[in-house]
Amino acid sequence: DLVAEVSVAEPFVYADSDGPRVTVVDFGTKFNILRSLSERGCRVTVVPGKSSAADILATRPDGVVLSNGPGDPMSVPYAIEATRELLGRVSIFGICFGHQILGLALGGSRFKLKYGHRGGNHPVKDLSTGRVYITSQNHGFAIEAESFPDRDVVITHKNVNDQTVEGLAHRVLPVFSVQYHPEASPGPGDSGYLFDRFVERIRRPA
């Protein structure tokens, strides 16, 4: 469990505002995820990776971000269970490790890549538009595309080089995720629209 070595020990408020309330589950989050949410007017609370669903919901989030982090997602069953309990109760955006946690919570399985994806130049195709984005990646596991028992789970993005899953969504539940890093720093910045999409989804009426 590498998450236990890098996650915060106690919850804290990173940015206070009157905007949408976003709770980031810290599996080893990059600070630019927090900055990206703060720049879009969100009130950002960070909670430990071991937080239960009840702990997360106690922060009264409009949306939850499952952050990036190190290691095998199967090593943190508590995170998978907490995410499973959140499904249908709050909007969720998973990033990298958080994408894998969401995939496992939705009933999928993971496998270890023969060659991990590292660096800032991985081409990823958005299957809904056909557009290819150059992305920053750092992971050694991937979600198995054919492993989902729920047919409402949709593969939204694929890696152009090896066709591995790079994005998930659900036709009914308000959840989506990407395997890469939309927050850049370092890396390309053209996937920042994903934060816009998430914030628009959870924004409370004025």
Side-chain angles (χ1 to χ4, degrees), residues 7 9 14 27 30 35 38 45 49 55 64 80 98 106 108 110 125 146 150 161 167 173 177 182-183 194:
S7 179
Y14 174 81
F27 302 125
K30 290 171 65 178
R35 294 188 193 104
S38 175
T45 300
D55 293 334
V64 170
I80 300 167
L106 287 167
R110 66 90 180 95
K125 186 174 184 178
E146 305 301 325
D150 184 349
N161 291 333
L173 301 174
S177 63
E183 76 282 357
L194 292 165

Side-chain angles (χ1 to χ4, degrees), residues 49-179:
K50 287 196 171 184
S51 299
S52 68
D55 293 334
I56 295 166
L57 292 172
T59 65
R60 298 171 46 232
D62 297 308
V64 170
V65 172
L66 306 175
S67 86
N68 62 294
D72 182 349
M74 290 297 290
S75 69
V76 288
Y78 53 83
I80 300 167
E81 180 58 31
T83 301
R84 188 176 293 123
E85 292 181 22
L86 291 173
L87 293 175
R89 303 174 73 180
V90 65
S91 291
I92 299 174
F93 177 23
I95 296 174
C96 197
F97 190 83
H99 156 83
Q100 296 169 15
I101 295 295
L102 179 62
L104 293 169
L106 287 167
S109 61
R110 66 90 180 95
F111 67 97
K112 185 170 177 59
L113 294 165
K114 184 176 181 180
Y115 301 105
H117 295 175
R118 318 288 179 189
N121 61 347
H122 289 266
V124 170
K125 186 174 184 178
D126 183 332
L127 301 182
S128 66
T129 65
R131 178 171 174 176
V132 174
Y133 295 88
I134 300 302
T135 69
S136 175
Q137 303 197 10
N138 185 22
H139 61 98
F141 293 85
I143 293 295
E144 179 59 59
E146 305 301 325
S147 63
F148 293 99
D150 184 349
R151 294 306 169 190
D152 283 327
V153 177
V154 180
I155 308 302
T156 59
H157 298 71
K158 281 194 172 182
N159 190 293
V160 174
N161 291 333
D162 62 10
Q163 297 301 303
T164 51
V165 175
E166 293 278 2
L168 296 171
H170 196 278
R171 291 189 176 94
V172 179
L173 301 174
V175 302
F176 73 101
S177 63
V178 290
Q179 179 65 80

